[in-house]
């Protein structure tokens, strides 16, 4: 559902952009440029399906840590109802199948209505009917079909122009373009703008093909216009193909035959403008996605416990992440020196890890160390900038743990668990609340705020009421107790185990 929503937004914005530009672009730079601009819509859809940019470095900062998520007592055995997203996904799938069947029936109906086909020329077939013809269809094996009275209704000059028009559709890839437009109509059947866009795309396609015919035969505009009048008959819709029907704005098509042929300079400008617009549209759709967390490539993660000593000011950090992910430690001294180290920890030989990092001070690179260390053993790095004005010392212990990385916390006595809200019990609802707590030197919570909650508001009051009763080991800096903020996720699970520890909440010690 998330991918569908992102693609819907991207395709809608791209369609609105094309609708705003197609008419002025056709007027000033030609019909081919307006038709080519429709590439923005499928490009925007593809862009949001590409892998999102990877999340940035996970920074471990002092006086702020993430504590162990805690299960809350199971209340009742009610089974949750399917989420609304599942119902919406099922509805979308039904609409998708219905639209595909509809277009397939139209396509099949058009082809069956042609009757028995007879060879008229290489790649050209004569039908036993006339409505909606001439036409070109068939993505894999394209063919041109002319009406039964093709040789009687049209003059030799008109027949040559009509066949050139249909073969031009095939050479330009218009049949593939119409297939893509039909697929987009199926995927976004619920979006009326997509159906409008499909119709206007067809019109721009015909305008562009007419302009190409006139450019190739500039002295036969009148003859081509008369051929249009003769071919302008109603017929069954052809979703994947190009045919002549009354749905095309004949008056506007004939009026466009009077337009002068665009020169080479304008064609280059048009191609450049369309390419830049399409590229920008795709990049904007891709960049608008939220950064994706790095995918797990191993079934284990590393815990990095670190002590950072900068000019005698010591801080302790701890974080967990997958191997190969970039993590960072940062510290700013009282004198204002800002040190940063970004590390990547990868497996090495048995029982060892490879640690590669980049160290900077005040935004300027200082060193790029690469170390091989043993698991569960101390690894140290010490760096001094060229001017010798500061000293950066980092000692780390890397340990390996099975499964996915979770928040890090030290072990402390368990705290009173929040009460499960009656409204949530009645709904059979689970949830997650992330609290931000300010812990004083005495270990008590001085301030508690809800940083995020899901579902919004349902578990907030119970979480805050419990948090105000908790006590922590206070953060320390240089051996002295201080004040700091901690984040505590609290998970409410309606289907959790109702065991001995039910009703109790485990919390952890914040890093100093």
């Amino acid at each position: 559902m998330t991918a569908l929503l992102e693609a819907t937004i991207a395709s809608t914005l791209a369609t609105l952009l094309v609708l705003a530009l197609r008419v002025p672009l056709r007027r000033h730079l030609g019909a081919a440029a307006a038709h080519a601009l429709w590439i923005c819509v499928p490009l925007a859809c593809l862009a949001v399906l590409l892998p999102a940019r990877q999340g940035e470095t996970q920074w471990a900062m002092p006086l702020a840590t993430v504590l162990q998520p805690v299960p809350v007592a199971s209340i009742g055995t009610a089974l949750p109802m399917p989420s609304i997203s599942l119902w919406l996904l099922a509805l979308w799938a039904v609409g998708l199948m219905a639209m595909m069947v509809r277009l397939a029936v139209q396509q099949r109906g058009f082809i069956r209505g042609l009757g028995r086909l007879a060879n008229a020329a290489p790649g050209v077939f004569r039908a036993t009917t006339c409505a909606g013809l001439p036409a070109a269809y068939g993505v894999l094996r394209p063919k041109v079909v002319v009406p039964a009275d093709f040789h009687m209704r049209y003059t030799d000059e008109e027949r040559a122009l009509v066949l050139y028009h249909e073969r031009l559709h095939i050479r330009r890839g218009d049949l593939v373009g119409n297939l893509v437009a039909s697929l987009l109509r199926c995927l976004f059947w619920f979006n009326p703008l997509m159906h409008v866009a499909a119709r206007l795309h067809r019109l721009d396609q015909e305008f562009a093909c007419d302009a190409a015919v006139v450019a190739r035969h500039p002295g036969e505009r009148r003859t081509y216009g008369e051929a249009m009048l003769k071919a302008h008959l109603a017929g069954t819709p052809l979703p994947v193909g190009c045919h002549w029907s009354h749905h095309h704005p004949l008056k506007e098509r004939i009026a466009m035959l009077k337009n002068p042929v665009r020169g080479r300079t304008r064609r280059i400008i048009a191609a450049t403008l369309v390419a830049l617009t399409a590229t920008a549209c795709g990049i904007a759709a891709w960049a608008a996605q939220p950064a994706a967390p790095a995918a797990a490539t191993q079934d284990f993660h590393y815990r990095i416990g670190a002590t950072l000593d900068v000019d005698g000011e010591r801080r302790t950090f701890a974080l967990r992440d997958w191997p190969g992910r970039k993590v960072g430690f940062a510290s700013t001294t009282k004198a204002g020196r800002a040190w940063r180290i970004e590390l990547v920890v990868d497996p090495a030989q048995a029982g060892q890890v490879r640690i590669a990092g980049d160290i900077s001070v005040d935004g300027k690179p200082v060193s790029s160390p690469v170390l091989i260390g043993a698991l569960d053993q101390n690894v140290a790095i010490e760096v001094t900038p060229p001017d010798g004005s500061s000293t950066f010392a980092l000692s780390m212990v890397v340990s390996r743990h099975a499964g996915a990385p979770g928040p890090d916390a030290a072990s402390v006595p368990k705290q009173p668990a929040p009460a499960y809200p009656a409204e949530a019990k009645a709904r059979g609802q689970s949830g997650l609340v992330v609290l931000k707590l300010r812990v004083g030197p005495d270990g008590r919570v001085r301030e508690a705020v809800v940083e995020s909650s899901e579902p919004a508001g349902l578990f907030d009051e119970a979480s805050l009421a419990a948090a105000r009763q908790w006590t922590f080991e206070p953060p320390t800096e240089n051996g002295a107790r201080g004040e700091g903020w901690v984040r505590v996720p609290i998970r409410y699970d309606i289907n959790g185990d109702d065991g001995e520890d039910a009703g109790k909440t485990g919390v952890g010690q914040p890093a100093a």
Side-chain angles (χ1 to χ4, degrees), residues 194-274:
M194 193 58 63
H195 302 288
V196 173
R199 181 177 63 84
L200 296 179
H201 165 259
R202 283 294 187 94
L203 299 183
D204 288 339
Q205 186 180 87
E206 291 301 326
F207 293 151
C209 199
D210 291 341
V213 172
V214 171
R216 181 66 176 83
H217 304 278
E220 301 183 50
R221 297 172 190 256
R222 182 180 181 85
T223 303
Y224 187 58
E226 291 173 351
M228 282 186 188
L229 288 172
K230 294 178 180 181
H232 201 64
L233 300 173
T236 304
L238 179 60
V240 184
C242 304
H243 71 124
W244 303 60
S245 78
H246 73 287
H247 298 291
H248 295 162
L250 182 62
K251 181 179 179 181
E252 188 174 355
R253 287 183 67 185
I254 292 179
M256 287 187 60
L257 298 181
K258 302 177 183 179
N259 294 340
V261 177
R262 306 295 176 181
R264 184 171 181 271
T265 301
R266 287 205 179 190
R267 291 199 301 270
I268 293 175
I269 294 174
T272 303
L273 180 61
V274 170

Side-chain angles (χ1 to χ4, degrees), residues 11 17 62 141 151 170 177 187 206 281 300 329 365 400 472:
S11 62
L17 175 66
R141 295 180 179 178
H151 285 78
I170 296 174
L187 291 172
E206 291 301 326
C281 191
F300 65 91
F329 301 97
R400 174 171 164 163
F472 293 81

Side-chain angles (χ1 to χ4, degrees), residues 178-467:
N178 290 338
L179 175 61
V180 173
S182 297
L183 291 176
L184 291 177
R185 288 184 66 190
C186 293
L187 291 172
F188 305 106
W189 58 266
F190 52 88
N191 186 355
L193 190 62
M194 193 58 63
H195 302 288
V196 173
R199 181 177 63 84
L200 296 179
H201 165 259
R202 283 294 187 94
L203 299 183
D204 288 339
Q205 186 180 87
E206 291 301 326
F207 293 151
C209 199
D210 291 341
V213 172
V214 171
R216 181 66 176 83
H217 304 278
E220 301 183 50
R221 297 172 190 256
R222 182 180 181 85
T223 303
Y224 187 58
E226 291 173 351
M228 282 186 188
L229 288 172
K230 294 178 180 181
H232 201 64
L233 300 173
T236 304
L238 179 60
V240 184
C242 304
H243 71 124
W244 303 60
S245 78
H246 73 287
H247 298 291
H248 295 162
L250 182 62
K251 181 179 179 181
E252 188 174 355
R253 287 183 67 185
I254 292 179
M256 287 187 60
L257 298 181
K258 302 177 183 179
N259 294 340
V261 177
R262 306 295 176 181
R264 184 171 181 271
T265 301
R266 287 205 179 190
R267 291 199 301 270
I268 293 175
I269 294 174
T272 303
L273 180 61
V274 170
L276 291 176
T277 303
T279 303
C281 191
I283 292 175
W286 175 80
Q289 300 179 86
T297 58
Q298 305 284 354
D299 59 356
F300 65 91
H301 69 275
Y302 290 123
R303 180 189 186 275
I304 306 172
T307 298
L308 183 60
D309 191 326
V310 180
D311 301 336
E313 298 179 22
R314 178 172 295 185
R315 289 177 170 83
T316 301
F317 304 83
L319 54 78
R320 299 172 183 261
D321 212 332
W322 298 105
R325 279 269 290 152
K326 187 175 288 188
V327 298
F329 301 97
S331 179
T332 302
T333 68
K334 295 178 181 178
R337 303 305 301 269
W339 283 86
R340 301 286 187 272
I341 178 169
E342 295 183 74
L343 301 171
V344 175
V345 182
D346 289 303
Q349 298 179 4
Q352 294 183 326
V353 290
R354 179 182 184 273
I355 304 172
D358 292 295
I359 303 175
S360 65
V361 59
D362 299 331
K364 299 178 181 179
V366 175
S367 178
S368 298
V370 177
L371 306 174
I372 300 295
L375 288 170
D376 302 312
Q377 299 293 324
N378 189 64
V379 179
I381 303 172
E382 184 170 327
V383 177
T384 300
D387 60 8
S389 59
S390 183
T391 301
F392 174 95
L394 177 68
S395 60
M396 296 176 292
V397 176
V398 180
S399 55
R400 174 171 164 163
H401 301 268
D408 196 81
S411 176
V412 296
K414 292 185 176 180
Q415 308 280 6
Y420 215 102
E423 182 181 358
K425 291 185 203 176
R427 294 183 186 177
Q429 181 76 57
S430 300
L432 175 67
V433 177
V434 179
L435 297 181
K436 188 175 180 181
L437 310 176
R438 183 165 62 89
V439 179
D442 57 355
R444 295 186 178 276
V445 176
R446 299 288 183 87
E447 183 179 354
V449 295
V450 176
E451 188 170 69
S452 64
S453 62
E454 184 180 319
L458 185 58
F459 297 98
D460 293 6
E461 291 186 11
S463 301
L464 291 171

